[in-house]
Amino acid sequence: MSSESLTLVPQEVIRSPWRDFLHAFVRNPLALASGGFVLLLVLVAVFAPWLAPMDPMTPDWMALSSPPSAAHWLGTDELGRDLLSRLIYGARISLYVGVVSVTLGMVVGVLLGLLAGYYGRWVDMLIMRGSDVLFAFPGMLLAIAVVAILGPGLNNVIIAVAVFSVPVFARIVRASTLTLKQTAYVEAVRCAGARDRVILLRHILPGTLSNVIVYFTLRIGTSILTAAGLSFIGLGPEPDVPEWGNILAMSRSMMMAGLWHVSVFPGLAIFITVLAFNLLGDALRDTLDPKLKS
């Protein structure tokens, strides 16, 4: 057999993991729908100044609490501010809070999980018992406690949401690290004299990323919902900030008057966004988890 025939490999055999992921992802209709909505939401948040028909802070004194109309497609609030514009700008704030808070919680949680799973003993016990303390509090209650200590505000809401995201990331990465550190290739690298930092970052961390990515996506929806809840009870940013929870909070006094649009539209925005991130996380789990692949 000639050397040329040995080098001829069918195109179907040479498939990268990224190509396999895309192939499985596009075959999932829920993944396409949820991913498309999330992408649309990101574009709306980025181009909010060009998409919003009006300034979200400028009132229309001639259309106070007006229902949906040609001038205001989703109506106005009690101060005459365009609800569509406020929802568009609210998407920017909600995504910012969700992504930044979960990213902070992920970075800290992944680091703690790697240390706990790799070194074990007292390091593992200290980190896991701290996680158990945080797990003892419901997520929303823990976020309320953190904001109550730090004070209301957008940055403090981000810190609060990040705090209750840390222990779950730590547990997920710890479980993966306990399995990966016993594999043959990690043992070979350790016997070759590699430092712990190299082993953790180059050989163990990549093996935990699939679970981290899935939970990161799921957690964004939960963080958006938690941030909206904090704003609803007055622990979020200033009341005039166009954030979805703030818009809902201002609608409480208007619902009794039959002005349904001020509460329905921001509620739908929160519901659909959280649902989209949850569906996207489930689709990523089905795609990335080899146990669930057909």
Side-chain angles (χ1 to χ4, degrees):
M1 184 178 295
S2 64
S3 60
E4 290 186 359
S5 61
L6 294 176
T7 59
L8 295 177
V9 181
Q11 185 66 26
E12 299 80 26
V13 177
I14 307 176
R15 299 185 62 177
S16 65
W18 174 247
R19 184 178 176 183
D20 289 338
F21 167 76
L22 289 179
H23 180 70
F25 189 83
V26 297
R27 295 178 63 184
N28 190 333
L30 284 179
L32 291 178
S34 57
F37 179 82
V38 170
L39 178 61
L40 177 63
L41 190 66
V42 171
L43 293 177
V44 169
V46 172
F47 298 103
W50 295 273
L51 294 177
M54 299 181 182
D55 189 334
M57 306 298 293
T58 301
D60 183 358
W61 302 113
M62 303 301 295
L64 300 179
S65 304
S66 69
S69 62
H72 303 280
W73 289 2
L74 300 185
T76 62
D77 61 11
E78 60 184 358
L79 299 179
R81 296 174 296 193
D82 185 70
L83 189 57
L84 176 59
S85 301
R86 291 181 66 78
L87 289 179
I88 290 175
Y89 274 87
R92 169 179 288 189
I93 298 176
S94 295
L95 282 180
Y96 171 76
V97 172
V99 173
V100 173
S101 61
V102 177
T103 300
L104 291 176
M106 178 192 67
V107 171
V108 177
V110 167
L111 177 61
L112 293 177
L114 287 173
L115 295 177
Y118 186 77
Y119 290 106
R121 298 184 179 180
W122 67 269
V123 177
D124 184 28
M125 183 184 67
L126 182 62
I127 294 175
M128 288 300 101
R129 297 299 77 79
S131 298
D132 290 339
V133 171
L134 294 180
F135 273 124
F137 297 91
M140 188 64 181
L141 183 59
L142 180 61
I144 292 175
V146 173
V147 174
I149 295 173
L150 300 178
L154 188 61
N155 292 332
N156 292 339
V157 168
I158 292 175
I159 295 174
V161 176
V163 167
F164 83 88
S165 298
V166 169
V168 186
F169 280 109
R171 282 191 176 274
I172 291 174
V173 176
R174 172 184 177 269
S176 299
T177 303
L178 288 174
T179 302
L180 292 172
K181 76 175 184 178
Q182 299 175 358
T183 56
Y185 73 90
V186 173
E187 291 291 342
V189 172
R190 185 183 294 112
C191 293
R195 296 182 178 180
D196 291 345
R197 182 180 62 183
V198 175
I199 296 175
L200 286 172
L201 297 181
R202 293 187 180 180
H203 303 284
I204 293 181
L205 179 60
T208 67
L209 289 182
S210 59
N211 293 329
V212 171
I213 291 173
V214 170
Y215 188 73
F216 179 87
T217 307
L218 292 170
R219 201 65 176 181
I220 291 178
T222 304
S223 299
I224 291 175
L225 186 61
T226 303
L230 292 174
S231 298
F232 186 80
I233 61 178
L235 295 178
E238 292 75 10
D240 60 334
V241 174
E243 194 268 339
W244 289 346
N246 276 344
I247 300 174
L248 268 179
M250 292 193 64
S251 69
R252 285 179 293 186
S253 61
M254 304 175 65
M255 286 189 292
M256 301 302 295
L259 299 173
W260 56 271
H261 65 281
V262 184
S263 58
V264 169
F265 291 126
L268 282 176
I270 296 173
F271 168 74
I272 296 175
T273 300
V274 174
L275 178 63
F277 275 106
N278 288 341
L279 292 177
L280 181 60
D282 288 339
L284 290 175
R285 181 196 59 193
D286 297 340
T287 304
L288 294 173
D289 192 345
K291 298 178 182 180
L292 301 177
K293 293 181 180 179
S294 57

